[in-house]
Amino acid sequence: MSVPPPPEPITGARLLFSLDPAVSHLNHGAFGAVPIVAQRAQQRLRDEMEADPLRFFTQGLADRVAHTRRHLANFLGADPDGTTLTTNTTTGVAVVLQSLGLRAGDEVLTTDHGYGAVDLSIRRECRRTGATHRALRVPLTATDEQVVQIVRDGLRPGRTRLLVVDQITSATARLFPVAAIVGVAGEHGVPVLVDAAHAPGMLPASVSSIGADFWVGNLHKWGYAPRGTAVLVVTPRWRDRIEPLVVSWEQESGFPARLEWQGTSDYTAWLSAPAGLYTLRSLGVDRVRAHNAGLAAYGQRVVGDALGVPPTDLPDPGGPAVAMRLVPLPAGLATTLDGARALQTRIAERLATQVAIMAWDGRGWLRLCGQVYNAPEEYQRLAVRLPGLLAQR
């Protein structure tokens, strides 16, 4: 079966980034890439800060942060009054966990698709409080209806104090039906935290329509913001209970200022985030989303063909809107976290290609991303050279 053609490139988009042209950057989902316009906006802010630090931090900074917060919340379809800026999704999750007041006998429920650092944070909070962590097994091929039923069956009303579910999973590029899951959990009085690390910029976001108690997403991945830019959105009934990880001078101001003000933190990433969104809007938000998802699907088919994976065995748990795709690796390869990291490094060093290698459910997976700075030829080169490298075990 022939590989469908790739999407039409977005002319000139590659020139908007300062990425090394000698490397194929096929793993945008890891740390993103900051457009030059956002880099320059942040540098101007740093120059302003260093020219007069006292003025920068004490005259108008809170208002500038609040303006940025409203701008990002509006882009995401979130309530600006319920939104707070934070550094990344993992930090937002940690804030929620330590604000819940977990106790012995409580449990935090997740799926087995959860992000590793989030799982580590949950386990640490459970050790500290005596609560427990339980993960629901969700097959990669499960339908949305089956996922919702798995969650429904897994809830323990009265004991499950928090359900954490990914909107788009990092390990498996799975799009979960989060609004339906929130509805089911709400029927049983279980609050939900949506880990939306990959959603802002990739998906048409309407956070308020999801209805989660907590929603946290990164803007520095698919939203082109400088790294260290994320938002935590909290429903009204929880806002007074949300505490920062570190107490600083705005503690008595309540939500969201008590979370955002952290003394001498570098706020320039947040303040220049709108410049990243400007780049996205200039290229055309819908156009970028369609291009990226189509290119990731093309790369999956090209690399899958090279590895002898039938098209029917290429997973598509995210659907056509997700700009990340999985290719199963040969059996026995990269089945552990250490093995996955080692293979990812080998591919980077020998093939000058950055990809993600994931160990999930007892096997290794190659995760490919599509972004406006990528070209079909990059996936084609990987397809030609990867089989030989994998044969050298």
Side-chain angles (χ1 to χ4, degrees), residues 195-213:
D195 178 343
H198 291 276
M202 187 195 294
L203 299 180
S206 181
V207 176
S208 295
S209 68
I210 294 172
D213 299 80

Side-chain angles (χ1 to χ4, degrees), residues 42-272:
Q42 185 176 19
Q43 188 56 55
R44 287 193 296 270
L45 286 161
R46 283 174 171 158
D47 291 342
E48 177 191 346
M49 177 173 62
E50 297 306 332
D52 192 341
L54 190 64
R55 177 183 177 128
F56 181 85
F57 281 97
T58 63
Q59 297 184 30
L61 179 58
D63 289 339
R64 296 169 82 174
V65 169
H67 176 76
T68 299
R69 180 201 314 135
R70 288 192 294 270
H71 185 100
L72 300 183
N74 288 333
F75 173 75
L76 296 170
D79 178 4
D81 293 332
T83 301
T84 183
L85 293 167
T86 187
T87 53
N88 56 39
T89 296
T90 309
T91 300
V93 170
V95 165
V96 173
L97 287 171
Q98 62 90 41
S99 299
L100 285 176
L102 294 173
R103 298 177 296 180
D106 294 339
E107 74 168 13
V108 178
L109 186 63
T110 66
T111 76
D112 59 351
H113 295 247
Y115 186 59
V118 169
D119 285 345
L120 290 172
S121 185
I122 292 170
R123 291 168 194 163
R124 186 186 70 169
E125 190 66 15
C126 287
R127 286 196 302 269
R128 190 179 71 82
T129 62
T132 58
H133 171 215
R134 185 164 56 94
L136 300 173
R137 175 172 171 75
V138 178
L140 194 60
T141 56
T143 65
D144 284 355
E145 292 76 14
Q146 289 170 332
V147 171
V148 172
Q149 189 61 48
I150 289 170
V151 171
R152 188 192 303 274
D153 293 342
L155 293 171
R156 295 173 178 172
R159 181 172 180 182
T160 305
R161 285 290 310 283
L162 181 69
L163 169 63
V164 181
V165 62
D166 298 68
Q167 191 162 356
I168 303 172
T169 66
S170 177
T172 58
R174 165 97 206 200
L175 179 64
F176 276 117
V178 288
I181 290 172
V182 168
V184 166
E187 294 172 5
H188 299 281
V190 176
V192 179
L193 188 160
V194 174
D195 178 343
H198 291 276
M202 187 195 294
L203 299 180
S206 181
V207 176
S208 295
S209 68
I210 294 172
D213 299 80
F214 315 99
W215 184 99
V216 58
N218 294 322
L219 273 295
H220 55 243
K221 290 182 183 284
W222 304 90
Y224 296 160
R227 291 172 198 89
T229 305
V231 296
L232 169 63
V233 183
V234 181
T235 53
R237 74 186 185 101
W238 288 99
R239 290 171 195 169
D240 290 342
R241 297 172 58 179
I242 296 296
E243 294 283 349
L245 298 178
V246 178
V247 172
S248 193
W249 286 103
E250 292 296 326
Q251 178 65 17
E252 300 306 317
S253 298
F255 184 96
R258 66 165 51 149
L259 278 84
E260 291 173 340
W261 183 258
Q262 291 294 311
T264 53
S265 291
D266 186 345
Y267 299 91
T268 61
W270 294 356
L271 298 180
S272 49

